[in-house]
Amino acid sequence: MKLVFEKGMNLSEVEVIRHYTWLSRRNFGVDLGFYPLGSCTMKYNPKVNEEMAKLEGFSLIHPLQPESTVQGALQLMFELEKMLCEICGFERFSLQPAAGAHGELTGMMIIQAYFKKKGEKRTKILVPDSAHGTNPASVSMCGFEAVEVKSDSEGNIDLDDLKKKMEKDVAGIMSTNPNTLGLFDSNIEQVCEIVHGKGGLVYGDGANMNAMLGICRPKELGIDVMHLNLHKTFSTPHGGGGPGGGPLGVVKKLVEFLPGPLVEKEKEKYKFGEVGGSSVGKVRSFYGNFGVMVKAFTYLKAIGAPGCREVAEIAVLNANYLKEKLKGHFKLPFDRVCQHEFVLSDEGLPNGVTTNDVAKRLIDYGFHPPTVYFPLIVKGAIMIEPTETESKETLDRFAEAMIKIRKEAEENPEIVRGAPHSMPVKRLDAVKAAREPDLRWRKH
Ligand SMILES: *Cc1c(COP(=O)(O)O)cnc(C)c1O
């Protein structure tokens, strides 16, 4: 990233303040409006989380302080881990990974270490064709070969294809459930059986845990190792590069491989445990993003166990409500009860109007666009995740905007194809904007 200051530039405080305030007003966040970005769980993050993370006892401590002076912080990590174990059914969680993809990579390292210790040479990991892009990336980064498994006509993992590909050199599968189509993979137990039957391990991508909270434990489905996204399901903010949290949970036989140290409780005192020889080592400096842990802990304490279940129920209800409102107007390739999100297609939209056009037009109506062109197995995918924190009125307004855009596509396609009309800029070269951001200071 390049910050360009012009030669001889001399700015006063008020000029700098105005510049950044101006920039912030051109931004969009969940505090400003509906943000149905599928797979990202852009739920509202209660402000009490921030208040707790600001407490001096949490914000002014240092990881090198003696354990006896940070007992409260250690207790918080210990109890957060226990709650995550309770939610998922796992034996232990490492809170170290800093993001979902980081959790995936750590999980792959653990799978590798497990087979190395067993003396088995397994070089491949199966990845369904509906997977999030980070899945094959984590697999390859760890030195495994990613082998694609097909989805069947229902959007589940294709069991015949899985049986064919689950060979002796396959270390396991990376599965996402609910998958990125927003569907609960009703084959999941058979998937785990097939993989376990050949000695493999099942990795669960738990970024989309929002729909399962308090309803279903991944361990009981047969999953061996899984990350969660604190910055999705557990209401810590995400975007802007983080910081995030991607804690990694494992079944008993994999605990020895977790990154260390873990917090242990001994005679009413909390301390960091020993790191054994099988551990994959540290994956993050010190113990992970502690402020994020405080926020996730606060959230869980505030909603409690019954609240967890309610979160999932309303998230699923909201997604199904929107799906039913929209399915007569846009193509819905998998017409099943969905979980936290659903995927529409731009197939059949009139006058050459595409998913990108619909997304840009939504901006004019005051909505953040949904996730687009992902998952790849749906043509022109529009992936909508409303989350549980939105009211029926907001969902109705969004549905109304989508239906209006559909009508515009028929009657006035130029207005959709030329959108957005309400923004300081039109369509950016997104790749160039990310690679070469122009952050030059301008007078406003
Ligand atoms: C968000 C997401 C990830 C990656 O999480 P990051 O924190 O962005 O690294 C992985 N898988 C799925 C399904 C996701 O939605």
Side-chain angles (χ1 to χ4, degrees), residues 38-40 98-102 104 131-135 176 178 180 205-208 227 229 231-232 238 244-246 374:
S39 205
C40 293
H102 196 198
E104 291 171 24
H132 194 263
T134 51
N135 290 188
T176 309
T180 59
D205 179 334
N208 295 337
H227 77 267
N229 276 39
H231 48 287
K232 289 180 182 170
H238 61 330
F374 172 74

Side-chain angles (χ1 to χ4, degrees), residues 1-41:
M1 197 164 78
K2 245 182 353 198
L3 244 180
V4 185
F5 288 101
E6 270 140 37
K7 220 175 159 184
M9 200 189 265
N10 210 348
L11 301 175
S12 66
E13 179 175 319
V14 67
E15 284 173 308
V16 173
I17 290 291
R18 281 186 188 149
H19 173 69
Y20 284 107
T21 306
W22 176 85
L23 276 182
S24 75
R25 289 177 58 177
R26 270 152 186 73
N27 212 339
F28 191 91
V30 74
D31 288 358
L32 210 60
F34 187 44
Y35 206 136
L37 197 64
S39 205
C40 293
T41 314

Side-chain angles (χ1 to χ4, degrees), residues 383-397:
M383 185 198 230
I384 299 171
E385 179 179 10
T387 83
E388 74 283 2
T389 56
E390 299 299 334
S391 65
K392 178 171 174 294
E393 287 71 25
T394 300
L395 303 183
D396 286 338
R397 277 196 304 114

Side-chain angles (χ1 to χ4, degrees), residues 182-444:
L183 304 174
F184 188 88
D185 192 321
S186 41
N187 291 341
I188 183 70
E189 285 170 306
Q190 286 135 291
V191 167
C192 294
E193 258 173 54
I194 293 167
V195 174
H196 288 151
K198 292 277 173 69
L201 293 172
V202 180
Y203 185 93
D205 179 334
N208 295 337
M209 189 66 196
N210 213 41
M212 305 220 291
L213 276 186
I215 292 180
C216 154
R217 288 197 179 97
K219 155 82 181 352
E220 287 163 20
L221 295 174
I223 289 164
D224 301 299
V225 42
M226 184 173 109
H227 77 267
L228 296 170
N229 276 39
L230 296 185
H231 48 287
K232 289 180 182 170
T233 315
F234 300 94
S235 96
T236 78
H238 61 330
L248 189 77
V250 294
V251 294
K252 203 167 184 173
K253 69 176 174 189
L254 297 177
V255 170
E256 62 178 302
F257 303 103
L258 278 177
L262 301 172
V263 182
E264 310 290 354
K265 186 177 178 184
E266 221 176 74
K267 296 194 197 115
E268 297 312 305
K269 288 251 168 8
Y270 298 90
K271 58 169 204 160
F272 287 112
E274 296 293 318
V275 183
S278 306
S279 163
V280 297
K282 264 195 189 305
V283 295
R284 181 82 169 82
S285 55
F286 298 110
Y287 317 112
N289 288 329
F290 179 68
V292 175
M293 296 172 209
V294 178
K295 294 174 197 181
F297 176 88
T298 305
Y299 177 69
L300 281 171
K301 283 287 183 197
I303 64 172
C308 278
R309 191 181 172 95
E310 207 179 332
V311 161
E313 285 172 350
I314 299 176
V316 171
L317 179 65
N318 278 359
N320 279 285
Y321 178 73
L322 259 188
K323 169 175 68 72
E324 290 303 309
K325 283 205 121 177
L326 293 177
K327 78 177 190 191
H329 306 274
F330 291 83
K331 186 179 158 83
L332 175 69
F334 297 94
D335 191 358
R336 286 167 51 184
V337 172
C338 69
Q339 301 296 308
H340 58 298
E341 65 192 3
F342 60 99
V343 180
L344 302 172
S345 163
D346 67 0
E347 225 176 294
L349 284 185
N351 298 314
V353 167
T354 64
T355 287
N356 196 34
D357 300 328
V358 174
K360 298 296 182 194
R361 186 65 178 143
L362 274 171
I363 297 173
D364 288 333
Y365 289 110
F367 297 107
H368 192 286
T371 295
V372 292
Y373 298 103
F374 172 74
L376 304 174
I377 54 174
V378 171
K379 183 194 165 287
I382 306 175
M383 185 198 230
I384 299 171
E385 179 179 10
T387 83
E388 74 283 2
T389 56
E390 299 299 334
S391 65
K392 178 171 174 294
E393 287 71 25
T394 300
L395 303 183
D396 286 338
R397 277 196 304 114
F398 177 75
E400 217 172 274
M402 286 288 284
I403 294 165
K404 210 158 152 194
I405 293 169
R406 165 74 220 218
K407 212 155 164 208
E408 287 173 345
E410 231 140 81
E411 295 165 1
N412 194 0
E414 289 74 34
I415 203 161
V416 186
R417 289 200 302 253
H421 303 282
S422 57
M423 289 287 120
V425 289
K426 288 231 168 214
R427 299 205 183 181
L428 297 171
D429 178 340
V431 176
K432 192 172 158 69
R435 298 269 158 83
E436 298 167 41
D438 178 1
L439 302 176
R440 248 168 304 200
W441 184 87
R442 289 189 184 86
K443 274 224 185 291
H444 311 299

